[in-house]
Amino acid sequence: MKLILLGAPGAGKGTVAKLLTKIDGSVQISTGDILRGAVAAGTELGKQAQAAMKAGDLVSDDLIMGIMEERLKEDDCKSGYLLDGFPRTIPQAEALKTLLEKMGEKLDAAVEIDVPRDVILDRLTTRRTCTGCGEIYNVKSNPPKVEGVCDKCGEPVVQRDDETEEAISNRLNVYNDQTAPLVGFYEKEGLLLSVDATSSEAVINAIQERINS
Ligand code: ADP
C-alpha cells in the first residue's frame, strides 16, 4: 500500500497507520515522529524545527521535503508506505507529486479521516505519547498499565508539549487553513477516499475495500 493519511491532529492517523502496517508490512512514516526524534537528539534539524513545533505551527516546506526525499528512497519503502502527517500544505503535495513521478511511483489513495472538532479536542487534551516508541495512550480510554510508563517499551509516557490548550487550538486552525485544502487537491487527482472515522476498524475496512477493488 502507498497511502497518504489526511486528517486533523487527533483524527487517528497514527493509530490507523500502526494497524495498517500489521496487515501488509508497509512502513509508517510520520514526519511528526521524525521531527520529535530530531528535537530529542538535539540535531541541527531538531534545532530548526523546535520553536515552530512547540507553538503548533508548521515547520518549513523546504525542511520537510529534505527529510522526505531521503526517507522515501530508503529500502523499507519498497514494501509500501503510509504517510502520516505529510504532506500538510499544497506546496508539499505538489513537491511530493513531482518526487513520486521522478521515482516512477504511484499512490493508491489519499485517505481523509473525518472526525468532529469536539471529539478531537477531547482526544488531544487526554492523549499521552511514549517518548521511546511513540505508542499513543489516552488517560481516560486507554491508559498505560502503570501510570506514566509505556506497556511496550518501558520508556516514559508524557503529554506532548504541543498539547497545551493554546497549542492545540493553534494546530487545529493551522490544519483548517493549510492542510484541509489538500482534500480538494487529491480529489482532483482522483485519489481521494473520505471515511467517517467512527472507529479505527471502520477506517481500515474502507481502505482495504478500496485497495482490493
Ligand atoms: P499532529 O498530527 O498530532 O498535529 P504531528 O506529530 O503530525 O502532530 O506533528 C507535530 C508537529 O510537527 C506539527 O505541529 C508541526 O509543527 C510539525 N510537522 C509535522 N509534519 C509536518 C509537515 N508535513 N509539515 C510541516 N510541519 C510538520
Side-chain angles (χ1 to χ4, degrees):
M1 279 183 273
K2 294 194 174 80
L3 296 179
I4 292 174
L5 299 172
L6 283 173
K13 301 183 295 292
T15 307
V16 165
K18 285 196 176 72
L19 291 169
L20 288 170
T21 58
K22 290 185 192 135
I23 294 175
D24 76 343
S26 308
V27 285
Q28 173 188 11
I29 303 179
S30 156
T31 41
D33 285 347
I34 294 172
L35 293 169
R36 275 185 292 280
V39 170
T43 63
E44 192 48 41
L45 169 66
K47 284 182 195 137
Q48 288 179 39
Q50 195 162 23
M53 289 178 75
K54 187 160 184 188
D57 290 327
L58 293 184
V59 171
S60 80
D61 290 335
D62 286 348
L63 209 62
I64 295 289
M65 288 316 301
I67 297 173
M68 288 308 292
E69 281 200 25
E70 291 305 310
R71 184 64 188 88
L72 287 171
K73 286 177 190 153
E74 281 175 37
D75 264 358
D76 61 351
C77 290
K78 294 212 171 75
S79 46
Y81 41 79
L82 311 158
L83 304 182
D84 161 12
F86 169 85
R88 239 178 168 95
T89 63
I90 294 281
Q92 288 179 22
E94 277 167 350
L96 174 65
K97 187 178 170 192
T98 310
L99 176 64
L100 292 179
E101 276 165 7
K102 244 192 326 196
M103 295 172 69
E105 292 187 7
K106 268 207 172 78
L107 295 169
D108 294 305
V111 184
E112 181 202 8
I113 306 175
D114 211 4
V115 180
R117 191 179 169 110
D118 53 336
V119 176
I120 296 240
L121 273 176
D122 185 57
R123 273 192 200 165
L124 288 181
T125 46
T126 54
R127 179 156 90 170
R128 300 293 181 271
T129 308
C130 173
T131 50
C133 67
E135 185 71 10
I136 305 286
Y137 295 92
N138 185 289
V139 286
K140 285 196 215 155
S141 60
N142 175 34
K145 290 194 185 84
V146 179
E147 198 188 323
V149 181
C150 182
D151 295 348
K152 299 236 160 103
C153 74
E155 293 294 316
V157 170
V158 302
Q159 182 161 30
R160 277 166 40 178
D161 61 4
D162 62 354
E163 283 175 354
T164 60
E165 242 174 85
E166 199 186 347
I168 289 171
S169 145
N170 190 36
R171 278 160 64 205
L172 291 176
N173 291 339
V174 167
Y175 180 81
N176 287 335
D177 292 348
Q178 305 206 50
T179 310
L182 296 187
V183 171
F185 180 94
Y186 286 111
E187 192 166 26
K188 277 200 210 113
E189 298 280 311
L191 285 171
L192 188 68
L193 170 66
S194 290
V195 282
D196 255 335
T198 37
S199 71
S200 309
E201 286 72 34
V203 178
I204 305 278
N205 289 341
I207 292 171
Q208 282 190 302
E209 230 168 77
R210 165 77 171 244
I211 301 276
N212 297 329
S213 69

